[in-house]
Amino acid sequence: MTLPAEEARAFLVSHLALAAPVYPSGAEGVRALLRHLRHIQLDPLDVIGTNADLVALARVDGLARGDVYRHLYPGHAFEHWAKERCLLPAYAFPHYRERSLEAPWWRHVKRLERLPASVLSAVLEELEAHGPLTAAELTDHGAVDPLDWSGWKGTAKATTMALEVLWTRCDIVVCGRTPGGKRYDVPRRALPEVARAAPGYTTEEGFLRWALGERVEAAGLLSRAAGAHWSMLSPVRGSALPETLVREGVLEEVMLPLSPRRYLAPAGFRSRPVTAPDERMRILGPLDPLLWDRGLVKQLFGFEYVWEVYKPGEQRRWGWYVCPLLHRGQLVGRLEARVKEDVLYVEKLWREKGVKLDDAALDEALARHARACGARKIRRPRARVG
């Protein structure tokens, strides 16, 4: 079927919980949100909150910076490869334990070649006996030859590399994030309700069917074209599985006007309730699920977005850590901000051409965000830049 652009846009905003608050405030809301979104992409940069903070703050009331981790760990979430490294709901753990994914550049086999098996055993035994622990709290097992990604160096510590291997295998999980680093523990303590659960299938195809269904729900509309929205499931994209699930009625295939692209959608998605956008402006994280497919964002919202954080300064069109602004179901601008001491500084503000940016709604959004970040003052430019 061909889905009208306005209908597709309204579905996406509602499906991704960006139309109006639909979850309780605080911890209960964050846990419900993760179950609904399936994946919350992680990034270590913390400028006005991490990407995970921003995803939650845009959708759930009653949160402060860092609450997304405090409310999910331990017991309600774990981390693994999905759409890159993500927070995943606890119910997904049995699936990943049986069929662990990894990024192509992760080089799991290389780690095993450089790491003595005795170190792996020792680290796992120590976590079994004394976890949860950070890497710094574990016994130091000396140095290891680090991995090199075009000048980006991996860890030179054997203990930390052992944690990376054990985490990839799902022998251990991240059960907390603190200023001292990630905390690790064994699944039987960190995820007691699901650690021993069975996934309900025994084959690789069973996992891939489940994982593709999760990705389609996470994206809302998953383009059949290659892109970052497929990530760890890129090999599945060109396989027969998408067509099989469409033929079986597990997924639907749709098109958008004036585009040759085909999209996978959840079965029966057009019969789902669509929440109308409220008056709240939302500051989106740079890796928000709405922004995963930049081609789709351009087509439906007329909004060109590229995250330029890893580009040299002279090559950036906008800025380093730039966050889009969503208002009444439209992407109306973007801003670059930072928190310093007790002030939220909006260093640059871009208003989309042809779209009126509501300054009162922006002020309210900044006030909410400042409170979440512990800032008491806000400094913002009034004029458009860029």
Side-chain angles (χ1 to χ4, degrees):
M1 71 178 76
T2 298
L3 190 66
E6 184 176 347
E7 183 179 343
R9 186 168 56 246
F11 165 70
L12 272 184
V13 171
S14 177
H15 177 72
L16 296 176
L18 286 168
V22 293
Y23 298 112
S25 62
E28 186 180 349
V30 170
R31 293 163 188 170
L33 177 68
L34 179 60
R35 291 193 297 271
H36 173 77
L37 292 182
R38 270 75 172 179
H39 315 331
I40 295 179
Q41 191 167 347
L42 293 168
D43 186 83
L45 296 175
D46 188 349
V47 183
I48 54 172
T50 64
N51 184 72
D53 285 322
L54 292 165
V55 168
L57 289 170
R59 294 163 168 87
V60 179
D61 291 333
L63 298 179
R65 188 183 194 176
D67 276 352
V68 67
Y69 302 117
R70 286 187 284 268
H71 293 333
L72 291 174
Y73 290 135
H76 301 279
F78 70 108
E79 297 178 18
H80 220 286
W81 303 114
K83 199 291 185 176
E84 302 303 331
R85 187 163 183 152
C86 289
L87 276 169
L88 300 164
Y91 74 74
F93 180 73
H95 302 271
Y96 278 78
R97 184 196 60 220
E98 297 297 324
R99 299 287 191 283
S100 294
L101 293 176
E102 64 176 90
W105 47 263
W106 186 241
R107 301 182 190 174
H108 182 67
V109 173
K110 289 290 185 183
R111 284 172 167 79
L112 291 175
E113 291 173 354
R114 300 177 187 205
L115 193 66
S118 59
V119 174
L120 277 175
S121 299
V123 171
L124 182 57
E125 289 171 6
E126 190 171 359
L127 283 170
E128 282 273 10
H130 304 295
L133 297 169
T134 65
E137 293 168 336
L138 285 158
T139 300
D140 185 351
H141 291 279
V144 68
D145 186 18
L147 297 176
D148 187 338
W149 295 280
S150 301
W152 291 70
K153 289 290 184 182
T155 182
K157 296 182 177 180
T159 297
T160 302
M161 187 175 283
L163 289 172
E164 294 171 349
V165 170
L166 294 168
W167 170 79
T168 302
R169 291 175 171 176
C170 291
D171 292 332
I172 62 173
V173 294
V174 175
C175 66
R177 282 178 174 253
T178 69
K182 294 188 286 286
R183 297 183 68 78
Y184 296 89
D185 205 353
V186 291
R188 65 178 177 82
R189 277 195 299 264
L191 298 168
E193 295 185 8
V194 297
R196 294 183 175 86
Y201 51 77
T202 58
T203 65
E204 182 71 13
E205 182 184 356
F207 171 76
L208 294 176
R209 289 173 68 96
W210 172 85
L212 180 54
E214 290 287 291
R215 183 63 56 82
V216 171
E217 286 286 352
L221 294 173
L222 185 68
S223 171
R224 296 290 301 271
H229 44 279
W230 282 93
S231 191
M232 303 304 129
L233 293 180
S234 290
V236 177
R237 185 185 68 84
S239 74
L241 184 59
E243 299 288 355
T244 298
L245 296 186
V246 170
R247 188 170 59 252
E248 293 176 357
V250 176
L251 300 175
E252 293 186 35
E253 187 172 75
V254 301
M255 297 185 70
L256 300 176
L258 306 177
S259 173
R261 283 189 170 191
R262 296 176 296 158
Y263 294 84
L264 297 173
F269 75 100
R270 298 186 81 179
S271 64
R272 296 183 182 185
V274 173
T275 302
D278 61 14
E279 294 300 308
R280 180 180 302 194
M281 185 177 291
R282 290 164 172 80
I283 300 171
L284 300 186
L287 299 171
D288 191 278
L290 187 68
L291 306 171
W292 284 355
D293 185 344
R294 292 165 187 166
L296 181 61
V297 169
K298 176 68 173 176
Q299 182 176 358
L300 288 184
F301 296 89
F303 190 86
E304 185 178 346
Y305 183 65
V306 178
W307 195 33
E308 300 177 303
V309 70
Y310 296 117
K311 283 187 176 183
E314 65 275 10
Q315 295 180 17
R316 293 178 188 141
R317 178 177 174 185
W318 287 286
W320 179 60
Y321 201 90
V322 175
C323 297
L325 301 171
L326 181 74
H327 192 211
R328 301 190 186 107
Q330 296 284 348
L331 291 166
V332 297
R334 63 196 90 202
L335 59 79
E336 184 172 36
R338 63 186 173 92
V339 175
K340 185 176 181 181
E341 297 176 350
D342 66 343
V343 180
L344 173 61
Y345 292 94
V346 179
E347 298 179 328
K348 294 180 181 179
L349 173 64
W350 295 265
R351 304 163 189 260
E352 281 295 286
K353 292 180 180 179
V355 178
K356 178 176 173 53
L357 192 147
D358 188 322
D359 280 291
L362 176 58
D363 285 337
E364 291 176 5
L366 292 173
R368 286 194 306 272
H369 202 84
R371 287 194 298 271
C373 291
R376 294 185 295 173
K377 300 176 183 178
I378 300 167
R379 297 286 183 266
R380 55 159 286 200
R382 292 286 167 176
R384 174 184 171 183
V385 299

